[in-house]
Amino acid sequence: AGLLEQLVRPLSDARVGMSYACPVYKGAREWVAALMALAVNEAILALATAPPFTAVGSTMAMRKDVLHAIGGLTPLRHRIGIDAALGRAVCAKGYRIELVQQPVTVIHLRSRFSEWRRQMHRWLVTIQRYLGAGYLAIPFYSAPIVWASLYFFLSLLGGRVAQGLAVLAFIVVFRLASVVVVNLFFAKDRG
């Protein structure tokens, strides 16, 4: 089935108010666009395992009756991360949100570093708004290689080289495996 068919299928269940597809960035021609692709594509695993209380805005679908039930889009117009606000509004009315299996491909060839930084800041502000205190865990989740490297350095100073090296190796292998899995099953981008 195509992406549109997958988006519409869950909406035949009256308990489902919204469906969405994860974005997958492909086609980077320069390092900043590749950095954006890495950031977005890495988020897929987190989205696929997250509790379904919100949606991510590249591709979303909902029935007209659900849109009316939440009061339309007007009440959400001043909210940061309108996709997250929309998902929360749908859940608040007792509907479920479904993540479809097929991602939506976003061809992202080029970007400037300032655009990447602005997008990352926007996402972090949105995540902080919707996760509350859970936001404090983001540096640990999003930068495990940095933390594992710090642990390795401290283990060198403490004489536990093997232990520090094992942790660092595990984290690096896990992150590389994550990138490979996302690329093989979702992005399918040779670059």
Side-chain angles (χ1 to χ4, degrees), residues 13-62:
D13 182 344
R15 297 170 295 179
V16 176
M18 173 186 273
S19 61
Y20 75 101
C22 286
V24 170
Y25 279 40
K26 294 174 85 168
R29 299 271 192 258
E30 58 187 24
W31 73 271
V32 179
L35 191 61
M36 179 64 90
L38 183 63
V40 171
N41 296 350
E42 270 288 300
I44 286 175
L45 291 180
L47 290 172
T49 59
F53 67 87
T54 193
V56 176
S58 292
T59 304
M60 299 182 295
M62 70 171 37

Side-chain angles (χ1 to χ4, degrees), residues 145-161:
I145 292 177
V146 172
W147 295 109
S149 298
L150 178 61
Y151 180 78
F152 175 67
F153 177 72
L154 292 174
S155 69
L156 283 175
L157 296 176
R160 296 182 312 270
V161 176

Side-chain angles (χ1 to χ4, degrees), residues 101-161:
Q101 288 185 347
Q102 184 174 338
V104 60
T105 301
V106 177
I107 304 299
H108 189 74
L109 303 175
R110 292 176 172 69
S111 188
R112 291 193 313 260
F113 188 75
S114 61
E115 293 169 349
W116 176 85
R117 188 184 56 77
R118 190 170 36 253
Q119 185 66 46
M120 293 300 113
H121 181 261
R122 181 182 164 275
W123 285 343
L124 287 173
V125 169
T126 302
I127 291 167
Q128 181 182 21
R129 166 70 177 91
Y130 290 101
L131 286 185
Y135 173 77
L136 298 174
I138 294 293
F140 298 103
Y141 167 76
S142 64
I145 292 177
V146 172
W147 295 109
S149 298
L150 178 61
Y151 180 78
F152 175 67
F153 177 72
L154 292 174
S155 69
L156 283 175
L157 296 176
R160 296 182 312 270
V161 176

Side-chain angles (χ1 to χ4, degrees), residues 172-189:
V172 168
V173 167
F174 183 80
R175 292 297 278 196
L176 287 174
S178 172
V179 169
V180 168
V181 166
V182 167
N183 196 43
L184 285 176
F185 295 104
F186 295 104
K188 299 175 184 168
D189 187 1

